[in-house]
Amino acid sequence: MGLLSWLVVGLLVGLTASKLMPGRGSWLPTLVLATIGALVGGYVSVYFNWGTLASLHPRALLLALAGALLLTAVARVLRR
């Protein structure tokens, strides 16, 4: 159940990040990148023992959002 909840929360955070920083083309690549960034941010939160995405800890959610926005921004810069 933990992996499924991480994916669901990652998708929701990714959707939020893709709305905050929309891409130029289709919304699907932006959503996938943002979801991967959210999962990486959630992993960093677990690594530093700041909470998990499965428990919806606020610090973990903020790190997931930051990871999603960061990965989306890096992809945007690399596409130029």
Side-chain angles (χ1 to χ4, degrees):
M1 188 67 180
L3 179 63
L4 182 63
S5 63
W6 270 63
L7 286 175
V8 169
V9 171
L11 275 171
L12 291 175
V13 170
L15 183 64
T16 303
S18 68
K19 293 299 179 189
L20 290 174
M21 189 179 292
R24 288 185 222 163
S26 175
W27 57 271
L28 188 61
T30 305
L31 179 63
V32 169
L33 275 174
T35 302
I36 292 169
L39 292 176
V40 169
Y43 177 76
V44 168
S45 174
V46 169
Y47 182 79
F48 288 113
N49 200 19
W50 291 339
T52 67
L53 292 177
S55 64
L56 297 177
H57 195 274
R59 198 179 299 170
L61 290 173
L62 285 176
L63 266 174
L65 183 62
L69 290 172
L70 180 68
L71 191 58
T72 305
V74 167
R76 181 178 289 177
V77 167
L78 289 177
R79 280 188 214 153
R80 287 184 186 194

